[in-house]
Amino acid sequence: MVKVRFSSALNSVTGTRETIVELGDTTVKSVFGELVNKFGAEFEKRIFENGEVRRFVNVYVNGDDIRHLDGLDTPVTDSDEISILPAVSGG
Amino acid sequence: MSHVIGLKCRECGAEYPANIQNTCYECFGPLEVNYDWEYIREHISKEKIEKGPNSIWRYADLLPVEGTDYVDLGAGFNKLHHAKNLGKVLGLKELYILDESVNPTNSFKDRVTSVAVTKAREFGATAIGCASTGNLASAVAAHGAKAGLPAYIFIPSSIELGKITQMSAYDPNIIAVEGTYDDANRLASEVADMHPDWAFVNITVRPYYTEGSKTLAFETAEQLGWEAPDHFVAPLASGALLCSIKRGYDELAKLGLIESKDIKVSGSQPLGCSPISCAVREDKEVIPIRELNTIAHSLAIGNPADGYYAKNVILDSGGYAASPTDEEIIDAIFLLARTEGIFTEPAGGTTVAGLKKLVEEGRIDPDERTVVYVTGNGLKAQDTLIKHIKIPQAIKPTFGEFEKQYEQLVVAQ
Ligand SMILES: Cc1ncc(COP(=O)(O)O)c(C=O)c1O
Ligand SMILES: [Zn+2]
């Protein structure tokens, strides 16, 4: 059971700030596959550009930026938390 | 009628009304303020600016605020020093330093905060907040006190005690986070997102916040007799400051307040946390880093929000970037104090050390009129600097003892 938290900037496509994905041990990529099934092509368009996470989207697994981990191949295990946040903040 | 139309996405151009919002709902891109340039052109003039208050608010026509009910502790209108002594040491013919150590909470962050908190109050925000490497924290806490708004401050727990002492005096809610600034910033972003009626100055009201740093360019140009420098050097953490200064000069040129010219833009970042400088020097993407290792705590941001834009601004202008070591940063702090009488913290040391390296590498021409932005105050970083000074030995208050010490201190050298 992976918990995914969405930025409010995604509210208009997800309609929720949080969802649960039941996949067992998996990767960030398959979690996103599941989210696209759930929220549709518009969700995919907001997050991805040419198959890559957009420059201004940050994806965190338990608080760690996936750019510091294995990107979309980062393993995700049960009880992990994923958050999707805009990159341009802070400083 | 107002000079502000609203917000606009820097990436896809989508427009939004002025509000507490920093991200484009279409593409996740960052938003910026969308001004009505016709309106501004009709209302602005050098004479009007020169008659304005001795603070950033003399440039209100170019700041995204309605009315004149500013949250104002007096940020800005600081002295542009003609740094002849340091210029001579470095072999620069015309060097200037804008000294930001003298702002109300002793860093340039008072400029951005005054704008952001004024805007927060305009929007009816019930609280303000920020993620901070140390300086923004005090600026936000102080302006929050002045505005009567509660402040939520997220900092990495490892920053200088001097900064924690100062921010605590204003009595904000301080959340000290285990980890780096990037961890504190991510947490603050999530909290900000859950509290749409709070205004996090560098997160949810970031488009207005970054406008405040344009005044560094405005003040420089005004004090140079409405002219731009040939080259400027600024410190880099998130990269927002450097981009805003450049935008400030561009706007003055666009309005005809200064002559349009190509200004070289250079940045400096400590070697132990150098994602933007590395990207400039190697002409590659800005790659965020996880481990930050520098005494320049105020510049220790591993995942710089404006890194991508800052790198492009620098390279497009023909400028360059430096990554001085901690030792070079410390040396530069004392060099600046000794030559110009300005005592800065490691962020300022980084900038001056970067200036020195860029001159040595031939990236800054000795004939260029160069401006350096010294953005913080040395008194905040005493815990770092005390390790590098000689604590004076006490003597008995007798003339004989003085003479002995005079021998040692002066004559023997
Ligand atoms: C004293 C000082 N100078 C410069 C900076 C860098 O500003 P920016 O994050 O906009 O690049 C900071 C940032 O926190 C700072 O505290
Ligand atoms: Zn957009």
Side-chain angles (χ1 to χ4, degrees), chain B residues 141-156:
Chain B
H143 286 83
K146 182 80 173 171
L149 285 168
Y152 293 86
I153 309 285
F154 291 74
I155 51 165

Side-chain angles (χ1 to χ4, degrees), chain B residues 230-242:
Chain B
D230 301 313
H231 203 142
F232 77 78
V233 185
L236 293 162
S238 74
L241 166 69
L242 177 138

Side-chain angles (χ1 to χ4, degrees), chain B residues 295 330 334 381-391:
Chain B
I295 52 151
I330 297 280
F334 295 122
Q382 293 184 53
D383 22 341
T384 305
L385 297 176
I386 200 152
K387 296 173 200 138
H388 300 275
I389 58 150
K390 237 194 327 205
I391 309 242

Side-chain angles (χ1 to χ4, degrees), chain A residues 30-73:
Chain A
S30 20
V31 171
F32 272 111
E34 194 61 28
L35 294 173
V36 170
N37 285 341
K38 204 161 173 173
F39 300 115
E42 184 60 27
F43 179 83
E44 186 170 18
K45 197 190 113 202
R46 299 279 180 99
I47 307 289
F48 293 97
E49 196 170 37
N50 309 321
E52 298 282 340
V53 175
R54 284 176 180 272
R55 186 194 305 284
F56 298 109
V57 178
N58 281 356
V59 179
Y60 298 92
V61 175
N62 300 328
D64 281 324
D65 192 325
I66 61 164
R67 292 185 182 93
H68 295 307
L69 305 169
D70 290 325
L72 286 171
D73 297 325

Side-chain angles (χ1 to χ4, degrees), chain B residues 160 294-297 325-335 337-338 343-346 378 381-392:
Chain B
E160 298 97 331
T294 175
I295 52 151
H297 294 286
T325 64
D326 281 356
E327 199 184 336
E328 290 168 326
I329 291 167
I330 297 280
D331 288 348
I333 290 173
F334 295 122
L335 174 65
R338 223 167 52 225
F343 181 39
T344 189
E345 64 144 293
Q382 293 184 53
D383 22 341
T384 305
L385 297 176
I386 200 152
K387 296 173 200 138
H388 300 275
I389 58 150
K390 237 194 327 205
I391 309 242

Side-chain angles (χ1 to χ4, degrees), chain B residues 218-240:
Chain B
F218 303 158
E219 275 175 32
T220 306
E222 187 179 349
Q223 293 187 61
L224 289 174
W226 296 105
E227 275 184 33
D230 301 313
H231 203 142
F232 77 78
V233 185
L236 293 162
S238 74

Side-chain angles (χ1 to χ4, degrees), chain B residues 153-173:
Chain B
I153 309 285
F154 291 74
I155 51 165
S157 59
S158 55
I159 61 171
E160 298 97 331
L161 271 177
K163 288 180 184 156
I164 294 178
T165 307
Q166 184 192 16
M167 71 181 78
S168 300
Y170 309 111
D171 199 25
N173 304 296

